[in-house]
């Protein structure tokens, strides 16, 4: 029996298989992220964003300052009281969060329907898979075939830094996700009013998520001009973005004193010309690791293709270049392999640019030999290579790096079961975790003075308050915190992999301090 024409058509099956593979990749990613995710308050960033979400749900933009026994708050330096992600105010009455509110706003929205723990996990998974889906859709809009759009989506979604950052409640992957949909909606804004309204909403959330994301306004504007978007759509884009802008200005003015001020106090001092060359080299290397050297070289080579695709490449380069140049001057951008997270929002642009060039070259070769199917074969081979390359790098980087991240929850579980409610926690790296999950007072050892430490020990000894120090290896071994910052008679109480929990013998410590 002869098959219906539709199902015997090679083009139909080519598209169908690509879409099935995309669906399979998204499902695989969702399951992988769900199983390996860390939807809890851990280090500075993750605890800071979850604190902000909780503050929004409580209707308060500031947190309490927890006293040490009966000590007057002003008796020790005020920064001793603040967990990572907060800044204690000079009057010592409250402490303000330092992280932006875009991701917390999203988590708080889902929390209303799902509860706190489920909402974080759902947001992490949704953002992780929405980005490669958006890359696929944007790639198709910009002329990529089904298969090349699939390769671009997989290339972005499987990159080791992308995966590593997608496992936690952080803003890097969310920024990339929102940037993709801003550009997708920009292409469609002229086709319907709803797209224009959505663009304003998504763009405002993008800026609330991270203020430098405003740079994405450049490719958005270029796209709107390219597509000859009607003037009235610009008005609706602006109007729909107003609520987000009002929220951003209100929060920044309330907490930091001005609509464009942020909680990153002193961060502009970390931008210096001397970092530029080293950071650009760092970016170049790790872009190759995350997206494969082939696609990065192809993206750079797109400048020689500008005459054929001037409007599209202008939009893509306006997406890529400004964030890269901005963060190239930033001190932290070149610290380690995952520091390239600051420019994850350009990964989709690099991928789409590079694969557009590769598609053009493969089609030229296929047409020259009179074998149209060669383009598909080349795309399939590149897909296999991308999966192998990025999969290997994931094994080398992501899963080795994230082995100790459950330390935060192991400590939290121990503390909830064993630590006295009034016990003092001397910490730094775990301070956000302590402040989020426990009601205990905390002391930042990195802000203590010798006199303040003696006051704390004396108060703890007088009232019989236990003093614990949960410290990571870099704190107890490399920085020698127990010897330099908080000297005393410390006894090892518990181990959580590389994290050690110590308990202070306050009486013996007082004798040591008084005799020194």
């Amino acid at each position: 029996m002869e098959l219906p024409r539709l199902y015997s058509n090679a083009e139909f099956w080519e598209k169908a298989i690509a879409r099935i593979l995309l669906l399979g990749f998204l499902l695989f990613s969702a399951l992988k992220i769900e199983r390996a995710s860390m939807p809890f308050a851990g280090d500075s960033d993750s605890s800071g964003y979850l604190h902000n979400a909780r503050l929004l749900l409580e209707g308060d933009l500031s947190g309490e300052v927890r006293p040490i026994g009966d000590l007057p708050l002003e008796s020790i330096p005020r920064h001793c009281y603040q967990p990572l992600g907060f800044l204690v105010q000079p009057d010592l009455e409250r402490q303000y969060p330092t992280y932006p509110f875009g991701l917390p706003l999203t988590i708080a929205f889902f929390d209303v329907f799902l509860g706190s723990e489920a909402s974080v996990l759902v947001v992490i998974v949704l953002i992780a898979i929405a980005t490669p889906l958006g890359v696929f859709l944007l790639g198709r809009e910009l002329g990529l075939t089904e298969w090349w759009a699939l390769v671009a989506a997989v290339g972005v979604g499987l990159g080791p830094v992308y995966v590593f950052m997608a496992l936690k409640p952080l803003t890097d992957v969310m920024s990339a996700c929102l940037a993709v949909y801003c550009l997708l909606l920009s292409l469609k804004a002229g086709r319907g009013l709803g797209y224009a309204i959505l663009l304003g909403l998504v763009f405002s959330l993008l800026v609330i998520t991270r203020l430098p994301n405003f740079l994405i306004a450049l490719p958005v504007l270029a796209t709107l001009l390219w597509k000859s978007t009607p003037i009235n759509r610009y008005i609706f884009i602006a109007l729909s973005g107003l609520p987000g802008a009002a929220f951003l200005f209100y929060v920044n003015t309330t907490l930091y004193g001005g609509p464009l001020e942020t909680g990153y106090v002193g961060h502009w001092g970390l931008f210096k010309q001397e970092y530029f060359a080293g950071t650009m080299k760092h970016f170049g290397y790790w872009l190759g690791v995350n997206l494969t050297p082939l696609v990065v070289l192809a993206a750079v080579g797109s400048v020689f293709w500008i005459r054929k695709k001037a409007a599209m490449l202008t939009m893509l380069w306006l997406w890529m270049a400004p964030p890269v140049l901005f963060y190239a001057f930033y001190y932290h951008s070149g610290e380690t392999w995952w520091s390239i997270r600051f420019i994850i929002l350009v990964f989709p642009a690099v991928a789409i640019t590079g694969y557009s060039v590769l598609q053009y070259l493969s089609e030229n070769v296929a047409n020259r030999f009179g074998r149209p199917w060669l383009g598909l074969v080349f795309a399939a081979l590149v897909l296999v290579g991308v999966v192998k390359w990025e999969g290997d790098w994931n094994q080398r980087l992501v899963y080795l790096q994230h082995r100790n991240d459950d330390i935060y929850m192991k400590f939290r579980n121990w503390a909830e079961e064993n630590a006295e409610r009034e016990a003092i926690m001397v910490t730094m790296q775990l301070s956000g975790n302590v402040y989020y999950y426990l009601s205990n007072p905390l002391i930042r050892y990195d802000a203590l003075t010798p006199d303040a430490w003696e006051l704390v020990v004396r108060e703890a000894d007088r009232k019989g308050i236990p003093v614990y120090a949960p410290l990571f290896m870099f704190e107890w071994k490399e920085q020698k915190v127990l010897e330099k910052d908080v000297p005393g008679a410390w006894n090892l109480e518990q181990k959580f992999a590389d994290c050690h929990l110590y308990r202070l013998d306050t009486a013996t410590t007082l004798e040591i301090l008084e005799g020194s």
Side-chain angles (χ1 to χ4, degrees):
M1 187 174 78
E2 187 177 347
L3 286 170
R5 192 175 200 178
L6 175 67
Y7 299 105
S8 62
N9 186 291
E11 184 180 352
F12 167 81
W13 285 109
E14 178 184 328
K15 291 182 177 180
I17 292 171
R19 292 176 185 181
I20 290 170
L21 289 174
L22 175 66
L23 179 61
F25 174 70
L26 295 177
L27 290 173
F28 166 80
S29 297
L31 291 173
K32 193 75 174 176
I33 295 293
E34 188 275 331
R35 290 182 61 186
S37 66
M38 295 163 273
F40 49 76
D43 57 13
S44 175
D45 290 359
S46 59
S47 65
Y49 291 120
L50 295 193
H51 274 123
N52 286 10
R54 176 184 285 177
L55 292 175
L56 286 173
L57 290 165
E58 292 174 349
D60 193 349
L61 292 179
S62 62
E64 64 175 345
V65 178
R66 298 174 183 172
I68 306 298
D70 294 330
L71 276 181
L73 289 173
E74 64 274 9
S75 54
I76 63 175
R78 64 187 172 96
H79 296 307
C80 292
Y81 299 109
Q82 68 190 31
L84 293 171
F86 280 87
L87 188 63
V88 174
Q89 297 307 292
D91 60 11
L92 293 172
E93 291 185 3
R94 305 292 289 175
Q95 49 186 333
Y96 289 167
T98 60
Y99 285 93
F101 278 84
L103 176 60
L105 199 60
T106 308
I107 293 171
F109 173 80
F110 280 90
D111 186 283
V112 173
F113 305 99
L114 302 174
S116 58
E117 294 189 7
S119 64
V120 180
L121 179 59
V122 167
V123 168
I124 286 175
V125 173
L126 284 179
I127 291 174
I129 63 173
T131 309
L133 175 61
V135 171
F136 178 85
L137 296 174
L138 182 57
R140 292 290 292 133
E141 282 286 326
L142 293 174
L144 288 180
T145 66
E146 218 87 14
W147 274 81
W148 283 109
L150 169 66
V151 179
V154 173
V156 171
L158 202 57
V161 170
Y162 180 91
V163 173
F164 185 57
M165 293 300 151
L167 295 174
K168 306 176 183 180
L170 302 174
T171 58
D172 309 283
V173 173
M174 182 171 177
S175 294
C177 181
L178 294 172
V180 168
Y181 285 97
C182 277
L183 272 299
L184 183 60
L185 290 166
S186 299
L187 289 167
K188 297 180 175 229
R191 304 178 201 171
L193 185 59
Y195 293 125
I197 293 172
L198 277 175
L199 173 57
L201 293 171
V202 173
F203 181 76
S204 64
L205 182 58
L206 174 65
V207 177
I208 296 170
T209 298
R210 189 182 281 173
L211 197 56
N213 289 346
F214 187 80
L215 292 170
I216 298 300
L218 296 173
V220 166
L221 182 59
T223 306
L224 294 173
L225 293 172
W226 169 29
K227 293 300 179 180
S228 301
T229 307
I231 295 296
N232 70 315
R233 301 297 161 80
Y234 290 82
I235 297 171
F236 281 100
I237 292 169
L239 289 175
S240 61
L242 281 179
F247 173 81
L248 176 67
F249 293 163
Y250 170 75
V251 169
N252 287 350
T253 301
T254 301
L255 296 180
Y256 317 122
L260 297 180
E261 297 294 327
T262 72
Y264 297 113
V265 179
H267 258 51
W268 286 115
L270 298 175
F271 286 83
K272 294 182 180 179
Q273 186 177 348
E274 63 197 69
Y275 304 140
F276 182 83
T279 302
M280 287 298 288
K281 183 179 178 181
H282 181 80
F283 282 170
Y285 178 82
W286 287 106
L287 274 173
V289 167
N290 281 275
L291 297 172
T292 75
L294 177 65
V295 75
V296 175
L297 289 173
V300 173
S302 69
V303 295
F304 300 106
W305 194 40
I306 193 76
R307 289 185 180 179
K308 292 183 178 292
K309 296 281 186 179
M312 183 185 84
L313 288 177
T314 298
M315 178 267 279
L316 289 168
W317 274 97
L318 282 173
W319 182 354
M320 290 185 286
V324 169
L325 294 174
F326 177 78
Y327 284 107
F329 294 98
Y330 185 44
Y331 171 77
H332 293 298
S333 297
E335 282 187 312
T336 186
W337 68 272
W338 46 262
S339 298
I340 199 173
R341 70 191 183 95
F342 293 109
I343 61 166
I344 282 181
L345 82 164
V346 309
F347 282 18
V350 176
I352 291 172
T353 305
Y355 289 119
S356 295
V357 172
L358 293 176
Q359 175 182 293
Y360 171 75
L361 295 175
S362 66
E363 287 176 348
N364 273 0
V365 172
N367 291 334
R368 177 169 296 183
F369 286 97
R371 299 287 189 273
W373 49 266
L374 282 176
L376 174 59
V377 171
F378 186 54
L381 290 174
V382 171
L383 176 62
V384 172
V386 166
V387 171
K388 177 71 170 68
W389 173 274
E390 296 186 8
D392 287 348
W393 276 102
N394 269 292
Q395 291 300 323
R396 292 169 62 179
L397 296 173
V398 178
Y399 301 110
L400 289 176
Q401 180 79 23
H402 123 284
R403 283 184 307 178
N404 288 333
D405 280 313
D406 62 349
I407 285 173
Y408 294 98
M409 294 311 290
K410 287 180 178 178
F411 167 73
R412 169 219 174 168
N413 294 336
W414 180 91
E416 287 183 336
E417 293 178 9
N418 300 282
E420 300 81 352
R421 291 179 62 85
E422 70 278 7
I424 302 166
M425 299 293 174
V426 180
T427 185
M428 186 277 289
Q429 184 65 19
L430 270 156
S431 59
N433 178 276
V434 168
Y435 192 71
Y436 187 82
Y437 291 113
L438 308 175
S439 58
N440 299 73
L442 64 89
I443 289 290
R444 285 275 296 275
Y445 63 76
D446 53 324
L448 272 172
T449 62
D451 290 342
W453 173 233
E454 185 172 344
L455 278 176
V456 170
V457 175
R458 196 173 297 282
E459 177 68 7
D461 184 66
R462 183 181 72 82
K463 298 201 69 176
I465 302 173
V467 181
Y468 295 100
L471 303 172
F472 277 74
M473 180 185 288
F474 78 89
E475 297 174 297
W476 61 261
K477 185 176 183 179
E478 297 169 20
Q479 296 181 1
K480 301 187 182 301
V481 166
L482 299 182
E483 300 170 21
K484 296 179 179 179
D485 298 290
V486 284
W490 292 99
N491 300 306
L492 183 61
E493 182 91 358
Q494 190 78 22
K495 289 184 180 181
F496 312 103
D498 293 338
C499 178
H500 288 184
L501 177 69
Y502 298 90
R503 181 165 180 158
L504 186 70
D505 182 333
T506 53
T508 305
T509 298
L510 275 179
E511 294 175 6
I512 294 172
L513 294 176
E514 289 170 354
S516 61

